[in-house]
C-alpha cells in the first residue's frame, strides 16, 4: 500500500472549506463572469449567509462533497472542486470545479486539482463514473476535461441563453477504466 496523501499534489492540496473562506468566496460570488462559468442560473450575487449554508449543507451531506483548492506554498484559497449527487449504489457522481482567483487561471492549478479529485473518487471512494457538464463557450475547460480523458457523451442543445445567443451544454463522462492516474496506464 502506498503511503500517499491522495489530496495533495505538487502545487495544490484539497481541504475542507471553512468559515474563514467566506470573505473570499463571497468576493468571487459577486463576479458575474465567474458565475456564468459555474451554471445556467442567472449570475446573481450570493450573500455570505447563502454561502455559509451551502458549505454547511455540503459538509453534512452523504451525497455531496466540496473541497477547497489551496496552494501548498502559502495555503491560499484558489477555488473548489465538488463531487455532487453521488449515487453510492451505482458508483456515479457529478463533478464541478471553480477557480475563483483569476490570477490562478492558466497556471495548472485546476488540472492538478481535477487530477487529485479524480484519484480520490476512483481510488478512495471506489466510484465507477464521473460526469461533468460545460457550456460550449468555455473552450479552456473543454480542452482541460478532454486532456484528462473525459469523453464527450452528448449535448443539451441551446441550453443556456447569454448575451443574446444560445449555447449548448456539453455532457462529458469518465469511467474508472478510462482514467489514468499520473504515471499509470488506463485502468490501473
Amino acid at each position: 500500500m502506498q503511503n500517499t496523501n491522495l489530496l495533495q499534489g505538487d502545487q495544490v492540496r484539497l481541504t475542507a472549506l471553512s468559515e474563514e473562506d467566506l470573505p473570499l468566496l463571497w468576493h468571487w460570488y459577486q463576479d458575474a463572469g465567474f458565475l456564468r462559468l459555474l451554471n445556467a442560473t442567472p449570475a446573481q450575487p450570493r450573500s455570505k449567509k447563502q454561502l455559509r449554508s451551502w458549505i454547511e449543507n455540503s459538509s453534512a451531506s452523504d451525497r455531496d462533497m466540496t473541497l477547497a483548492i489551496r496552494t501548498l506554498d502559502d495555503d491560499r484559497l484558489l477555488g473548489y472542486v465538488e463531487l455532487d449527487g453521488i449515487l453510492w449504489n451505482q458508483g456515479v457522481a457529478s463533478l464541478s470545479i471553480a477557480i475563483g482567483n483569476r490570477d490562478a487561471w492558466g497556471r495548472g492549478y485546476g488540472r492538478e486539482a481535477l487530477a487529485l479529485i479524480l484519484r480520490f473518487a476512483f481510488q478512495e471512494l471506489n466510484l465507477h463514473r464521473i460526469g461533468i457538464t460545460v457550456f460550449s463557450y468555455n473552450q479552456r475547460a473543454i480542452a482541460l476535461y478532454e486532456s484528462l480523458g473525459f469523453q464527450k457523451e452528448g449535448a443539451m442543445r441551446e441550453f443556456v441563453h447569454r448575451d443574446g445567443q444560445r449555447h449548448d451544454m456539453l455532457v462529458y463522462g469518465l469511467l474508472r477504466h478510462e482514467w489514468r492516474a499520473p504515471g499509470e496506464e488506463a485502468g490501473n
Side-chain angles (χ1 to χ4, degrees):
M1 174 192 265
Q2 288 181 336
N3 188 13
T4 303
N5 183 345
L6 291 174
L7 300 176
Q8 183 171 308
D10 295 330
Q11 299 182 87
V12 300
R13 66 188 180 102
L14 305 180
T15 71
L17 284 167
S18 70
E19 181 78 19
E20 291 76 33
D21 296 324
L22 278 174
L24 188 53
L25 287 167
W26 177 84
H27 177 74
W28 296 340
Y29 275 83
Q30 308 311 303
D31 178 352
F34 170 78
L35 295 172
R36 285 175 151 209
L37 295 173
L38 285 182
N39 57 47
T41 60
Q44 176 182 347
R46 303 277 169 84
S47 70
K48 288 181 183 174
K49 182 179 178 182
Q50 289 171 311
L51 293 169
R52 182 179 292 110
S53 177
W54 166 65
I55 291 170
E56 290 170 356
N57 290 339
S58 180
S59 294
S61 174
D62 64 348
R63 295 192 59 219
D64 301 320
M65 186 176 300
T66 305
L67 298 172
I69 304 168
R70 299 184 192 283
T71 56
L72 284 182
D73 58 352
D74 61 4
D75 205 40
R76 184 170 38 111
L77 180 66
L78 301 175
Y80 60 86
V81 290
E82 188 170 28
L83 289 170
D84 61 21
I86 301 170
L87 295 176
W88 294 106
N89 62 323
Q90 302 300 332
V92 300
S94 295
L95 173 65
S96 59
I97 182 169
I99 302 292
N101 184 334
R102 288 179 183 255
D103 294 339
W105 290 8
R107 300 178 82 189
Y109 297 125
R111 170 181 292 283
E112 187 170 86
L114 283 174
L116 291 170
I117 196 68
L118 288 171
R119 179 171 66 182
F120 184 72
F122 290 131
Q123 290 184 340
E124 188 69 14
L125 301 180
N126 199 30
L127 296 178
H128 174 72
R129 180 189 185 283
I130 304 295
I132 197 163
T133 58
V134 61
F135 301 125
S136 58
Y137 57 76
N138 194 346
Q139 292 298 309
R140 285 187 349 202
I142 292 167
L144 173 59
Y145 303 154
E146 290 178 351
S147 75
L148 290 169
F150 281 90
Q151 303 295 310
K152 185 177 177 185
E153 297 176 335
M156 293 183 216
R157 298 176 306 138
E158 298 185 6
F159 185 85
V160 67
H161 184 257
R162 297 268 157 88
D163 300 322
Q165 292 185 332
R166 288 268 171 198
H167 302 275
D168 294 348
M169 184 165 71
L170 307 177
V171 178
Y172 281 82
L174 181 63
L175 305 178
R176 184 187 324 186
H177 69 269
E178 297 169 335
W179 167 71
R180 288 191 175 115
E184 295 181 9
E185 294 299 316
N188 290 339

